[in-house]
Amino acid sequence: MARLVFRSEFLNRCVILLLFVSVKASSGSSLEKTSAFFIFGDSTVDTGNNNYIKTTPENQANFKPYGQNGFFGGPTGRFSDGRVIVDFIASYANLPLIPPFLEPSSDYINGVNFASGGAGVLPETHQGLVIDLPTQLKYFEKVKKTLTENRGEAEAKVLISEAVYFISIGSNDYMGGYLDNPKMQQDYQPEDYLSMVIGNLTEAIQVLYQKGGRKFGFLGLSPLGCLPALRALNLNKESEGGCFEAASALAEAHNNALKGILTTLEYIFKDFKYSNANFYNWLEDRMNNPGNYGFKEGVNACCGYGPYRGMFTCGGNKNMSEYYLCDSPDDHVWWDSFHPTERIHEQLAKALWDGPSSSIGPFNLRDLFITTTIADAVDSPQPRSYHSQF
């Protein structure tokens, strides 16, 4: 009798797995069936959460000319002329658009987006004006509880285990949280502040693993000092202008530290799989050599005013006469003073989806969406024994 019960339980689990995470490759870059998609981060991946919170115009994008390319019919809260990277990834994974968590009546079966424009890893970054990463993790716990109540513990456990967790955050901690915060600079040396950011990000990854997550995608930081806003700031400080190297140095150090942490976590945690993008070099090459990638302009933003059109996030004053809007955003790497155009988001999404190991690794996102981890959902493995400190 014991053997029959075991086989019945095993078959039930297999049925659940097939229903919710079975995948089958099809022609092109999409899949017929795929895993859920949970998104954490800042304005690079915010699809509208900041529409529902009280914040500053710089942290919102629910007004024109955002969304002006017509894909959504108008502004949605995305910091882009149209779609952002996670919209494309969802499409490649044969998922619908992943809704923002704060959008009423969201359905969590395909995942949900917790990202918030202006958010940081640290709760102190733009405190009170954004949904910081610790709060995003709390929201995920609510989603997990709802899935368990609605789908049952077994189904929810498999869905959580098979989901892909995409994390894109950290820029605001260094730009607004540190370089634009004299008190933080007084209290922390750059390397100590960076260690604090990386430490808190590591803890967040561990929390998601402990709650059942096994497959993670990461978007590293761009050359922050070369954003139009930071170039404009540097022009005010140094007559020759150019990239604000202190910001780019912090971004590069963050990326190197994250790479080391992920290698360690892969060793510590059983079945921990991840995709990490070399976003820094990827975007830097497009800024320096725009013509190689189909762009005409790699430095100046499409929308904004002042040097590099980097003095203000476009449209924030809701006065069309006070900012410039280019004729063809597709010719530009940068949409506004901080954010790239939809075309950059699309190119990056394609690279993340099935790019080579030289720029995406150790897995690309397609690998993660088609990889199943039934053992994790059934057995809830414990971390491997490891005694070194991060």
Side-chain angles (χ1 to χ4, degrees):
M1 181 63 71
R3 170 180 281 180
L4 291 174
V5 170
F6 168 78
R7 291 184 62 188
S8 175
E9 290 177 354
F10 179 76
L11 289 173
N12 286 339
R13 289 163 179 164
C14 287
V15 168
I16 292 169
L17 181 65
L18 289 171
L19 285 172
F20 290 95
V21 298
S22 174
V23 294
K24 179 181 177 182
S26 64
S27 59
S29 61
S30 64
L31 304 172
E32 290 185 2
K33 183 69 178 177
T34 191
S35 308
F37 192 22
F38 293 104
I39 301 154
F40 303 81
D42 53 28
S43 57
T44 55
V45 290
D46 184 358
T47 56
N49 278 308
N50 278 17
N51 297 348
Y52 302 97
I53 66 173
K54 186 177 181 180
T55 187
T56 63
E58 293 86 350
N59 289 333
Q60 290 184 308
N62 56 347
F63 43 77
K64 295 180 178 179
Y66 289 95
Q68 65 93 43
N69 71 7
F71 182 86
F72 295 107
T76 61
R78 290 167 171 82
F79 292 79
S80 166
D81 55 312
R83 289 162 289 183
V84 294
I85 180 174
V86 292
D87 296 320
F88 291 104
I89 292 171
S91 175
Y92 302 153
N94 201 34
L95 290 167
L97 292 173
I98 305 302
F101 172 75
L102 295 181
E103 183 176 276
S105 302
S106 292
D107 182 2
Y108 305 139
I109 191 66
N110 293 309
V112 69
N113 188 325
F114 304 98
S116 169
V121 174
L122 304 179
E124 293 84 2
T125 299
H126 297 153
Q127 192 166 25
L129 299 173
V130 299
I131 309 165
D132 56 48
L133 185 57
T135 302
Q136 292 180 35
L137 293 175
K138 292 177 182 177
Y139 287 166
F140 173 73
E141 182 61 33
K142 291 183 178 180
V143 168
K144 183 180 178 182
K145 181 179 179 181
T146 299
L147 285 169
T148 301
E149 292 173 349
N150 294 344
R151 301 281 172 172
E153 185 174 355
E155 278 189 22
K157 194 171 185 179
V158 172
L159 188 150
I160 293 296
S161 174
E162 293 302 331
V164 173
Y165 298 79
F166 191 77
I167 300 174
S168 176
I169 198 165
S171 297
N172 294 301
D173 294 292
Y174 298 111
M175 291 189 296
Y178 187 73
L179 293 173
D180 196 35
N181 189 331
K183 186 177 188 310
M184 278 293 188
Q185 293 183 58
Q186 180 180 346
D187 292 344
Y188 296 95
Q189 291 297 312
E191 58 272 20
D192 296 326
Y193 184 84
L194 185 148
S195 295
M196 183 167 61
V197 173
I198 287 293
N200 280 267
L201 181 55
T202 303
E203 183 178 352
I205 298 167
Q206 291 173 314
V207 166
L208 289 172
Y209 181 89
Q210 290 163 1
K211 294 183 182 301
R214 294 294 180 267
K215 300 184 292 184
F216 295 81
F218 297 91
L219 184 62
L221 304 188
S222 69
L224 297 178
C226 299
L227 273 61
L230 274 292
R231 287 183 189 266
L233 176 65
N234 201 38
L235 185 64
N236 292 333
K237 292 184 176 181
E238 303 176 18
S239 58
E240 66 269 21
C243 297
F244 188 9
E245 296 301 336
S248 293
L250 280 170
E252 193 165 21
H254 174 98
N255 291 342
N256 290 335
L258 178 60
K259 182 178 179 180
I261 289 296
L262 293 176
T263 301
T264 302
L265 293 180
E266 184 182 28
Y267 181 81
I268 296 174
F269 293 133
K270 183 181 178 183
D271 294 317
F272 177 86
K273 296 179 175 64
Y274 70 92
S275 173
N276 190 26
N278 188 358
F279 185 37
Y280 188 104
N281 293 343
W282 187 94
L283 188 57
E284 184 177 53
D285 197 29
R286 281 159 175 76
M287 287 189 289
N288 294 337
N289 305 288
N292 292 346
Y293 302 95
F295 299 97
K296 295 180 180 179
E297 175 58 64
V299 174
N300 295 292
C302 170
C303 185
Y305 70 83
Y308 309 106
R309 297 177 197 141
M311 298 299 291
F312 194 78
T313 301
C314 75
N317 53 19
K318 301 182 177 62
N319 187 337
M320 287 293 291
S321 66
E322 294 193 24
Y323 64 86
Y324 173 88
L325 180 64
C326 72
D327 293 329
S328 179
D330 281 351
D331 290 339
H332 287 250
V333 168
W334 296 104
W335 161 248
D336 66 16
S337 55
F338 290 99
H339 308 101
T341 56
E342 181 191 77
R343 194 174 181 198
I344 281 287
H345 281 282
E346 182 177 16
Q347 288 189 4
L348 178 56
K350 287 179 179 176
L352 286 169
W353 181 252
D354 57 7
S357 58
S358 58
S359 58
I360 309 293
F363 297 93
N364 58 40
L365 287 182
R366 187 179 187 280
D367 293 332
L368 296 185
F369 273 98
I370 68 174
T371 301
T372 58
T373 53
I374 187 170
D376 293 331
V378 174
D379 298 324
S380 299
Q382 297 301 309
R384 297 178 182 135
S385 176
Y386 191 71
H387 300 295
S388 296
Q389 298 296 314
F390 293 127

